[in-house]
């Protein structure tokens, strides 16, 4: 019999989605801010392109390395917790059973029923029961370092290429405005896609992303102009 109530949740996408959104936003904001800052200092187009390409490659590699190291640390924590639970189950299964029973009682399950559920789960797979209900670990939420690194680096590259469209304008001022416009549109698009993928409302996350990116570009442009005026 088919289940008439089928649900689709976003928990399984949380790891790579977070990395992809972070990478795309960082790529758009970092490269656009870098280009705006260099251009605002009065540098030539070739200098802007060179700096942006260097920032694009360095940023993508940095994002990949940072995500891999960070998520790998999470894997280490999960592995250590798993080993500890295995040891505790082997040394004192009665205490672990009581602990699981208390968890279900705290969630509103009556005492006798909580005990029955805990006993049934201990007979089936006690380790998975404790990992899931005591530590919140599951197959869907397991950390995946390589997946996160690839998602972050790829989205950074894609996001970071968008501001290059601003170089199509004919004058320095026009390039600055076009870079800003393209970047803000890219941030809005990334915010909408991320919200859709996560299954949340669109307006708030999109506005948040656009305002944050716009502020970053404005501050970087001001730094570039200060550097130009001061002759640094």
């Amino acid at each position: 019999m088919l289940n008439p109530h089928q649900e689709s949740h976003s928990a399984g996408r949380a790891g790579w989605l977070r990395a992809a959104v972070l990478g795309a936003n960082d790529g758009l904001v970092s490269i656009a801010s870098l280009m705006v800052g260099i251009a605002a200092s009065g540098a030539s187009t070739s200098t802007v392109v060179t700096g942006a390409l260097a920032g694009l490659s360095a940023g993508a590699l940095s994002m990949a390395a940072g995500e891999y190291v960070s998520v790998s640390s999470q894997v280490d924590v999960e592995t250590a917790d798993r080993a500890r639970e295995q040891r505790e189950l082997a040394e004192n299964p009665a205490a672990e059973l009581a602990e699981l029973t208390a968890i279900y009682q705290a969630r509103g399950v009556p005492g006798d029923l909580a005990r029955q559920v805990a006993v049934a789960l201990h007979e089936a797979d006690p380790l998975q029961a404790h990992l899931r209900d005591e530590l919140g670990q599951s197959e869907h939420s397991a950390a995946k370092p390589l997946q996160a690194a690839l998602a972050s680096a790829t989205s950074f590259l894609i996001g970071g290429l968008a501001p290059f469209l601003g170089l199509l304008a004919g004058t320095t001022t026009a390039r600055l405005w076009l870079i800003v416009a393209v970047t803000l549109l890219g941030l809005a698009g990334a915010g909408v896609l991320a919200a859709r993928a996560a299954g949340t409302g669109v307006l708030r996350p999109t506005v948040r992303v656009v305002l944050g990116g716009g502020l970053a570009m404005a501050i970087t442009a001001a730094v570039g102009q200060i550097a130009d005026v001061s002759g640094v």
Side-chain angles (χ1 to χ4, degrees):
M1 180 181 296
L2 295 177
N3 183 2
H5 182 65
Q6 296 181 352
E7 296 182 346
S8 176
H9 297 286
S10 303
R13 300 193 295 264
W16 68 262
L17 180 60
R18 178 196 62 79
V21 171
L22 178 62
N25 288 345
D26 199 10
L28 279 162
V29 175
S30 297
I31 302 306
S33 297
L34 183 62
M35 294 174 73
V36 167
I38 296 175
S41 70
S44 63
T45 300
S46 61
T47 301
V48 174
V49 172
T50 300
L53 288 175
L56 187 65
S57 58
L61 293 173
S62 176
M63 290 293 291
E67 280 292 335
Y68 187 83
V69 171
S70 175
V71 180
S72 292
S73 297
Q74 182 180 343
V75 172
D76 292 340
V77 172
E78 292 176 355
T79 301
D81 284 342
R82 185 185 186 91
R84 180 179 179 180
E85 281 301 318
Q86 286 178 314
R87 184 172 63 253
E88 290 176 348
L89 283 166
E91 294 175 351
N92 198 342
E96 291 299 297
L97 178 61
E99 183 179 33
L100 196 61
T101 301
I103 290 173
Y104 298 142
Q105 285 183 288
R107 294 177 181 176
V109 181
D112 292 341
L113 182 56
R115 176 77 178 184
Q116 292 175 24
V117 173
V119 169
L121 290 176
H122 259 234
E123 291 175 351
D125 192 339
L127 178 59
Q128 288 303 317
H130 281 271
L131 291 178
R132 180 184 61 250
D133 296 326
E134 180 184 346
L135 301 178
Q137 293 185 19
S138 69
E139 181 181 349
H140 294 296
S141 62
K144 299 178 178 63
L146 185 58
Q147 182 189 68
L150 289 175
S152 181
T154 301
S155 59
F156 184 95
L157 284 172
I158 294 173
L161 287 173
F164 281 85
L165 294 174
L167 298 177
L168 297 176
T171 65
T172 300
T173 301
R175 286 174 193 148
L176 286 172
W177 283 111
L178 187 55
I179 289 172
V180 171
V182 168
T183 303
L184 292 178
L185 285 174
L187 288 171
V192 170
L193 289 175
R196 291 296 187 189
T200 63
V202 171
L203 183 60
R204 174 178 280 184
T206 301
V207 171
R208 182 173 58 226
V209 168
V210 171
L211 289 179
L215 180 61
M217 286 187 291
I219 294 174
T220 309
V223 172
Q225 288 182 329
I226 292 172
D228 182 35
V229 171
S230 61
V232 175

